[in-house]
Amino acid sequence: MLRRTLLLGLCRGPLGRGLGTHRGGSILDRDGKMSEIKKKIQSILPGGDWNPLYDTSYLPPEGSDVVIVGGGVLGLSVAYWLKKLEKPRGAIRVLVVERDHTYSRASTVLSVGGIRQQFSVPENVQLSLFSVDFLRNINEYLAVADDPPLDIQFNPSGYLLLASEKGAAIMENNVKVQRQEGAKVCLMSPEQLRNKFPWINTEGVALASYGMEHEGWFDPWCLLQGLRRKVQSMGVLFCRGEVTRFVSSSNLMKTASGEEVNLKRIHEVHVKIDQSLEYQPVECAIVVNAAGAWSGQVAELAGIGNGPPGTLQGTKLPVELRKRYVYLWHCPQGPGLETPFVIDPSGTYFRREGLGHNYLGGCSPTEEEEPDPGNLEVDHDFFQDRVWPPLAQRVPAFETLKVRSAWAGYYDYNTFDQNGVVGPHPLVINMYFATGFSGHGLQQAPAVGRAVAEMVLEGHFQTINLSSFLFSRFYSGEKVQEHNII
């Protein structure tokens, strides 16, 4: 209460670009005024230096211009670009709320770290082209004075996608799109494939596409820690806790067609402190929903989807938890150092891991096979029944592989079209999304963070137009359909 009393009323005065709290002002001068108030209290109270009775350093601030829900790579990327693009420097206070400070369940660190431009949607190609440039020049973006440089361990071995006779025409069209957007991808016949990669059995393969530049894999943990280190140096605040409630106001409006809609604005975020019954209200101007596989639940807290079916108010954020397995195996006779990230027509994939004939891989289940997402236990029978047979068929050396370990992670699975959701909600006007990438979020995070920051600061996308990724498509039914989804 003492802290709340001291801070009450310190949010006065305008802040550029419309960022301000419910009470109408900026939060930026709060620290300076806090120091003045402490001096006044100290002059009144007897004794020596003034110290608060209780340690409140673990609490989030009582106000932040932007609250980002989710501290994975997408949330951290948004925080980074908000601070990088803010004018003037220090203009925006940013708070990141993350409930899993160990990142033990985070999609980021449980992924296989691949990055590719081999998509069929132009926006996805553009996102990945920028992101790979970010990764390859990571220390130009994320260097921190007096800290060692980051080693992202980028392995530019490329992606190799294989197509059956049925998928060959789609692959050709995809490669046209990729080349138009600047990606360097070549098509290979079965004979060319055998000559370059003699360990591949080309039975059932009609065509292959191979990324010649800017594709491969990297260390997700390094990117996560690099972003976190950098944004902390830029003044971003962190809180270990869980968002449990949004306090908002609403105004009844009429659309051009005469339909009545409720426009809502979030004014306060309630954060439950980790391992405590306490919660802290945080006044805010903007909320960014980057909660990954849990972003659908966060959207529900804001009342999104709480309306009559078939209406914009009743349209939910269609993002849910999906569990995926990753297996690590050893095979002394397996493919060598030139091995790319291979994706079979069956959906099975693998890549090399390190220098000791170890490999990572897996396969997405069918809708009927979807495992229970309530835990991160691994189904080893899934490897025996669904992953190993196509692996051994495609790479005969894998007949003798031995599985050494396995883990499970979560996709923020967009059930509508398996593509990202970026930008503001049309009715909860100060909630922005960076979620729903269905397995592509890690590789596209640097570009997506920039796009969300542009929308928050400027009101529109500036570098890559992601209008087709807006929430409104779920109401209009306009899918962003990606072919060859992995």
Side-chain angles (χ1 to χ4, degrees), residues 239-283:
C239 172
R240 187 195 311 176
E242 180 178 1
V243 171
T244 58
R245 184 186 175 206
F246 295 108
V247 178
S248 59
S249 62
S250 61
N251 290 306
L252 195 63
M253 306 285 286
K254 280 192 175 182
T255 66
S257 62
E259 180 188 357
E260 287 190 341
V261 295
N262 260 319
L263 293 184
K264 296 177 67 175
R265 177 179 288 275
I266 297 168
H267 302 296
E268 200 171 76
V269 178
H270 286 194
V271 180
K272 181 181 176 296
I273 307 306
D274 187 43
Q275 297 182 338
S276 171
L277 296 177
E278 288 185 88
Y279 79 87
Q280 173 75 25
V282 181
E283 289 186 18

Side-chain angles (χ1 to χ4, degrees), residues 79 132 204 228 245 274 323 463:
V132 78
R228 187 177 172 95
R245 184 186 175 206
D274 187 43
K323 186 164 78 171
T463 47

Side-chain angles (χ1 to χ4, degrees), residues 113-223:
I115 184 164
R116 61 187 168 100
Q117 287 84 54
Q118 294 189 58
F119 293 95
S120 63
V121 173
E123 292 88 343
N124 279 330
V125 182
Q126 294 168 31
L127 288 170
S128 288
L129 279 170
F130 174 76
S131 290
V132 78
D133 177 77
F134 184 98
L135 293 174
R136 301 201 77 165
N137 299 284
I138 193 165
N139 286 296
E140 293 181 18
Y141 291 99
L142 302 185
V144 175
D146 300 324
D147 281 358
L150 297 169
D151 180 9
I152 202 74
Q153 297 181 44
F154 182 75
N155 187 314
S157 294
Y159 265 67
L160 179 66
L161 274 64
L162 310 178
S164 64
E165 194 70 47
K166 183 179 178 182
I170 294 174
M171 177 171 279
E172 287 188 82
N173 289 332
N174 290 353
V175 170
K176 285 180 184 177
V177 172
Q178 294 151 18
R179 288 172 174 170
Q180 286 169 358
E181 299 302 329
K184 295 189 177 179
V185 182
C186 71
L187 290 170
M188 301 175 72
S189 67
E191 182 180 1
Q192 291 170 319
L193 197 57
R194 285 191 297 270
N195 289 336
K196 186 167 182 62
F197 305 111
W199 40 264
I200 280 187
N201 171 17
T202 58
E203 181 183 350
V205 175
L207 194 64
S209 60
Y210 177 52
M212 296 181 289
E213 286 186 9
H214 307 314
E215 290 191 334
W217 55 90
F218 62 96
D219 180 0
W221 180 252
C222 180
L223 176 60

